[in-house]
Amino acid sequence: MRRRTLLAGLTGTALLGTTPAHAGSRRILHVRPGDSVQAAVDTADGPGWTIVVHPGTYREVVNIPVDKAELTLCGASRDPRAAVIVHDNANGTPRPDGSGTYGTAGSATFTSAAPGLTVHGLTLANDWLRADHPDITGTQAVAAHVTGDRSRFENVRLLAHQDTLFADTTALDAFDRQYYRHCHIEGDVDFVFGRARAVFEGCRFHTLQRDVPFTPKGMVFAPSTARANPYGFLALRSRITSGAEDAAYRMARPWVPSYETTAWPSLVVRDTWIGPGIDATAPYTNMRDAYPWQTMRFREHANSGPGAEISVPEMRPQLTAEEAALHTRRTYLGDWLDRLR
């Protein structure tokens, strides 16, 4: 019950179903304990609204549809631990209406398809635990599922175990862009995954201790980039830390979904400190042997730390200086970059 104990200790529990308070005639909505974040999203009747979430724990599922463009969702406090949106569905959790289980994407506590989304100063969490549900085999439990283009997360904590952040796109042929800055993302298995073109700058990726008798205990990244997309995940000036023993984790494995076998996963980790929790001699592994990681677009550049030591060069493909010049925030995010200042 570690996750639930942690979240319960941060703030009081909020009740759902009350009406958010408006801030005069401005397009701002305030959500306080006793209110519902989803009710505020539903109240925002067009683009450009700001929803301010005051300190509290909001146990609910939040879904931001595509027509809520340019929405800002922010914590009232500068501390992202003060306002927590959390729920506990998993892939294998039965839906209340008897229509089956939620599936991986449907398990998400927070879902957004809205373009131009900005989230900052919040915690988004899924506190479903395998130990509490030994009868459920679909153990993916997503904290955030994001698909809209120009989605921006700053100073956000994303907490779960398996499949914490589903950074995806609206369609196979859409190269939706996402930007994560100074975020804390933690989990154990494939906890940053999907086919988005996503930049993680100054973020911390933290692997959790996991009570299993095998290694690797899990992987940080599992990109599923579309073959036509020249760029997938880019982690730069970040840190990879661990709550597990040394070399218990791999940095990544490629995800080639059965429904999208043309995927060509892309991951670049550069200028990043990699802790001893990552196996430096074999930082990558396969998800399925039919799609070996060596055939994917996995590269590193100028990393440091004990988990970045290059003892077996063929196991750690590196970018050349010329190639590294192409893997920057500007290259990945394009004309959206200037709006981020």
Side-chain angles (χ1 to χ4, degrees):
M1 301 302 290
R2 183 190 66 83
R3 171 74 66 228
R4 288 178 187 164
T5 301
L6 170 65
L7 293 174
L10 294 176
T11 52
T13 301
L15 301 176
L16 308 183
T18 56
T19 303
H22 292 259
S25 59
R26 294 178 297 167
R27 298 170 69 83
I28 299 175
L29 296 166
H30 287 269
V31 180
R32 296 180 173 87
D35 297 337
S36 163
V37 178
Q38 185 63 54
V41 172
D42 296 341
T43 299
D45 57 353
W49 281 82
T50 294
I51 297 173
V52 180
V53 183
H54 289 257
T57 299
Y58 301 84
R59 181 164 286 278
E60 59 178 313
V61 171
V62 175
N63 184 9
I64 302 175
V66 68
D67 62 347
K68 309 289 184 178
E70 313 303 328
L71 179 74
T72 295
L73 186 66
C74 62
S77 167
R78 293 184 179 181
D79 186 349
R81 295 172 297 180
V84 179
I85 302 172
V86 58
H87 209 268
D88 61 350
N89 288 327
N91 178 335
T93 302
R95 293 180 180 271
D97 62 4
S99 61
T101 60
Y102 281 99
T104 298
S107 73
T109 296
F110 178 89
T111 299
S112 175
L117 172 74
T118 296
V119 180
H120 59 86
L122 291 172
T123 291
L124 306 176
N126 190 320
D127 62 358
W128 188 90
L129 294 174
R130 301 180 185 97
D132 293 346
H133 304 277
D135 56 317
I136 291 181
T137 56
T139 57
Q140 299 87 349
V142 177
H145 178 208
V146 184
T147 59
D149 188 37
R150 296 179 294 105
S151 295
R152 177 186 180 187
F153 292 73
E154 290 204 48
N155 193 29
V156 173
R157 297 167 75 234
L158 295 145
L159 312 179
H161 286 262
Q162 184 172 352
D163 291 13
T164 303
L165 172 61
F166 193 174
D168 206 21
T169 66
T170 52
L172 177 60
D173 58 354
F175 300 160
D176 297 319
R177 297 161 294 174
Q178 300 176 18
Y179 180 56
Y180 299 84
R181 182 172 181 264
H182 296 165
C183 291
H184 174 103
I185 310 169
E186 68 176 47
D188 52 34
V189 179
D190 302 335
F191 63 91
V192 179
F193 73 112
R195 68 182 177 213
R197 182 184 295 189
V199 174
F200 301 88
E201 185 169 14
C203 292
R204 180 188 181 193
F205 305 93
H206 186 67
T207 62
L208 299 172
Q209 179 59 273
R210 188 179 174 202
D211 187 17
V212 291
F214 53 79
T215 57
K217 294 180 182 291
M219 289 62 57
V220 178
F221 300 99
S224 59
T225 322
R227 182 169 293 272
N229 194 341
Y231 304 111
F233 291 168
L234 170 65
L236 71 160
R237 291 185 289 278
S238 294
R239 298 172 66 231
I240 301 177
T241 61
S242 182
E245 63 271 24
D246 291 357
Y249 275 82
R250 304 289 174 91
M251 191 153 63
R253 64 179 178 174
W255 178 32
V256 179
S258 57
Y259 57 83
E260 199 174 298
T261 57
T262 60
W264 192 21
S266 173
L267 167 70
V268 171
V269 179
R270 59 172 303 172
D271 307 295
T272 288
W273 185 86
I274 304 174
I278 299 299
D279 185 347
T281 60
Y284 306 105
T285 189
N286 297 337
M287 185 174 293
R288 292 198 296 276
D289 289 343
Y291 304 102
W293 71 264
Q294 292 90 340
T295 65
M296 304 301 168
R297 295 176 285 177
F298 285 5
R299 297 291 185 271
E300 299 179 55
H301 181 73
N303 295 320
S304 60
E309 292 181 3
I310 304 174
S311 57
V312 186
E314 59 268 29
M315 300 299 286
R316 306 205 73 140
Q318 304 289 310
L319 295 173
T320 65
E322 293 76 15
E323 290 170 336
L326 298 176
H327 292 274
T328 65
R329 188 177 76 169
R330 178 175 293 277
T331 303
Y332 279 56
L333 302 183
D335 58 4
W336 180 36
L337 179 69
D338 293 338
R339 307 177 198 177
L340 299 179
R341 304 204 181 276

